[in-house]
Amino acid sequence: MSSLQPVRGTVDLLPEDARKHRTIEALFARLVERYGFGEIATPIFEFTEVFSRTLGETSDIVTKEMYTFTSGDESLTLRPEGTAGVARAFITHGLHHALPLKVSYRGPMFRHERPQKGRLRQFHQVGVELLGVDSPLADAEVITLAAHFLDELGVTDTVTLELNSLGDAESRAAYRAALVDHLAGRGNGLSDDSRRRLAGNPLRILDSKDEGDRAIVATAPLLTDFLNAPSRAFLDRLCTLLAAAGLSPVLNPRLVRGLDYYCHTAFEFTTTALGAQGTVLAGGRYDGLIQQMGGPATPGIGWAAGVERLALLHEDRTALPRPVVLVPLGEAAESAGFALAQDLRKAGLHVEMGYAGTLSRRLKRAHKMNACAAVIVGENELAQGKAVVRDLDDGTQTDISFFDLAGQMIRLYRDKQ
Ligand code: ATP
Ligand code: MG
């Protein structure tokens, strides 16, 4: 029955996957705090306008990928990305009085695109935004944070930092004219999507994944050759700062971000390990965004990383704690064992119950969950006020009185982790 399958492009995170996601998000949460970012949690749906006006009416996301629905007479959209919602909240709450503002977010995003490995319709991002600083110091800080995050995840060896400058408005206008010149002559070879972009947003053609487009783009003029002096100085300063932090980005003059509101810095951390889904973390500067939404002119820079793509690269080396397993034999022992399990959990131990079945089956299950010890309480033991503690590594068994049990188990548990 198809209705018992998750919707195409969505997945259930079973405990092992969910744990990996949580490890990545917890690491992110700890790290961004060190850089002074506080968490912001905006709703997962907004008025459609919040996205259509900020991402640009011609962007892929707005034209093809949004989950939009009407509720009453309102058009609402499940958020496809995090920045627009943060910008909306920034204006809603008048946060320009508290600049610079540094926030982080995490959670599900929704885009209707063709599902593949590392490309889903509901996926998860973690991201940061730094608002109110127009100096390259902000760019350097968020990029360095991104590199630090990937380093802590142990994926640095598999990723490359690519950097480009989209320049200021003047530089982009000059480049745009040259690009349109180049592309217009080759218009017939472009994909339908790109022909449409030619008038509205030609820069985005540089980002096309279509083979034919890529060939045409390969010979196009380079944005970097059109940067005016202030734009070039901005990029140079950023590179100097990144070098001071030990980062040496690969300059990629063809790197553009898919969204309309970017200027100056654009960057991506890419990998060759995930096929076409090569970008694990991407971001850039969006000085025009807040004003375009109707707020006061406020510079900003940020990035977002796809948690699913990070999870594909990250090897979870955090070991699960080795539990103690309580094995009560008989009803009376069950009450005593149950109470003991509770005491041990309150003392911080990871305790599992050996619920039912023969003693050997319960011990087998305990081994399977990598338990360090089993506490076996039968009728005889109960009558004598003791339990049998079996060391599951060497099989030795010791009788321990109830009186000493909690203390002894806490010690044993700590030794075995
Ligand atoms: P792509 O070029 O792969 O479509 P994008 O430019 O659309 O990526 P962004 O909007 O910059 O991606 O989102 C930032 C990050 O979020 C991406 O680098 C990626 O890791 C992740 N991401 C984006 N779309 C998806 C998706 N559909 N499924 C899983 N992760 C995604
Ligand atoms: Mg995309």
Side-chain angles (χ1 to χ4, degrees):
M1 201 163 105
S2 68
S3 60
L4 291 184
Q5 296 295 321
V7 172
R8 190 165 133 82
T10 70
V11 295
D12 301 309
L13 291 175
L14 299 181
E16 207 174 301
D17 298 321
R19 185 162 190 272
K20 206 167 181 185
H21 275 229
R22 187 147 57 91
T23 303
I24 293 170
E25 291 182 4
L27 201 151
F28 170 80
R30 274 199 308 276
L31 191 64
V32 296
E33 219 161 59
R34 245 190 266 172
Y35 284 73
F37 289 78
E39 186 170 345
I40 186 167
T42 62
I44 60 166
F45 58 94
E46 298 268 355
F47 291 117
T48 301
E49 275 203 331
V50 169
F51 305 111
S52 58
R53 280 183 39 200
T54 55
L55 305 184
E57 297 286 354
T58 59
S59 69
D60 281 354
I61 291 184
V62 172
T63 51
K64 301 190 287 215
E65 297 176 359
M66 294 205 306
Y67 282 96
T68 296
F69 55 98
T70 46
S71 171
D73 54 4
E74 291 169 343
S75 177
L76 306 176
T77 293
L78 297 180
R79 65 179 183 195
E81 55 94 53
T83 306
V86 170
R88 197 269 308 139
F90 175 84
I91 299 171
T92 307
H93 301 283
L95 299 180
H96 56 278
H97 294 301
L99 293 176
L101 180 74
K102 298 165 97 170
V103 290
S104 73
Y105 62 85
R106 68 197 155 93
M109 306 292 163
F110 307 84
R111 295 185 194 178
H112 190 275
E113 44 186 341
R114 197 164 67 80
Q116 296 160 63
K117 182 180 167 194
R119 188 177 296 284
L120 294 159
R121 291 179 173 175
Q122 174 176 338
F123 62 100
H124 297 80
Q125 282 184 341
V126 292
V128 297
E129 314 290 356
L130 198 174
L131 290 153
V133 181
D134 57 13
S135 136
L137 194 52
D139 309 52
E141 191 177 39
V142 300
I143 293 173
T144 308
L145 164 59
H148 193 169
F149 174 50
L150 297 175
D151 196 34
E152 297 251 316
L153 282 176
V155 307
T156 301
D157 291 347
T158 48
V159 297
T160 306
L161 167 58
E162 296 184 37
L163 178 69
N164 191 21
S165 170
L166 306 179
D168 58 11
E170 183 187 87
S171 306
R172 267 197 318 287
Y175 175 64
R176 189 186 152 119
L179 180 65
V180 169
D181 246 15
H182 173 85
L183 296 175
R186 297 165 177 79
N188 290 336
L190 290 173
S191 65
D192 291 348
D193 272 347
S194 290
R195 263 205 302 277
R196 235 173 291 126
R197 293 181 189 125
L198 200 52
N201 198 336
L203 259 66
R204 190 160 290 127
I205 299 174
L206 301 178
D207 204 19
S208 171
K209 294 183 176 72
D210 179 273
E211 290 290 326
D213 290 350
R214 278 176 180 257
I216 291 174
V217 160
T219 56
L222 297 177
L223 218 165
T224 1
D225 294 332
F226 290 79
L227 295 181
N228 59 16
S231 299
R232 181 152 289 285
F234 192 101
L235 177 61
D236 289 346
R237 181 73 194 133
L238 172 58
C239 289
T240 304
L241 289 166
L242 290 176
L247 293 177
S248 40
V250 175
L251 292 178
N252 173 359
R254 297 187 197 286
L255 174 69
V256 290
R257 304 291 314 127
L259 309 176
D260 269 351
Y261 48 64
Y262 287 100
C263 63
H264 290 297
T265 310
F267 63 96
E268 291 188 349
F269 284 83
T270 57
T271 175
T272 50
L274 299 178
Q277 281 56 254
T279 308
V280 293
L281 185 155
R285 177 168 277 281
Y286 48 82
D287 291 350
L289 173 65
I290 302 281
Q291 193 170 27
Q292 188 184 322
M293 280 186 93
T298 310
I301 179 156
W303 55 256
V307 176
E308 281 77 6
R309 292 186 195 176
L310 291 174
L312 287 167
L313 297 178
H314 168 70
E315 219 176 289
D316 199 351
R317 287 198 206 81
T318 56
L320 278 169
R322 298 185 69 190
V324 166
V325 177
L326 240 293
V327 182
L329 304 168
E331 207 170 297
E334 198 171 82
S335 311
F338 185 60
L340 177 65
Q342 217 40 28
D343 286 345
L344 294 177
R345 284 170 177 151
K346 284 184 176 162
L349 275 59
H350 176 177
V351 181
E352 280 280 354
M353 285 305 288
Y355 296 103
T358 61
L359 177 59
S360 77
R361 282 197 63 156
R362 291 197 235 184
L363 289 178
K364 219 178 193 169
R365 188 169 161 261
H367 275 293
K368 223 169 147 187
M369 58 176 73
N370 192 29
C372 58
V375 180
I376 304 161
V377 190
E379 313 251 305
N380 286 343
E381 285 79 17
L382 194 62
Q384 295 166 38
K386 62 176 195 181
V388 177
V389 174
R390 185 183 174 96
D391 181 316
L392 292 175
D393 290 330
D394 60 16
T396 53
Q397 301 201 147
T398 324
D399 288 359
I400 301 180
S401 79
F402 282 151
F403 186 72
D404 295 331
L405 197 54
Q408 295 253 19
M409 290 314 297
I410 290 169
R411 221 164 302 131
L412 180 77
Y413 177 84
R414 296 213 173 116
D415 286 350
K416 294 279 194 183
Q417 297 304 311

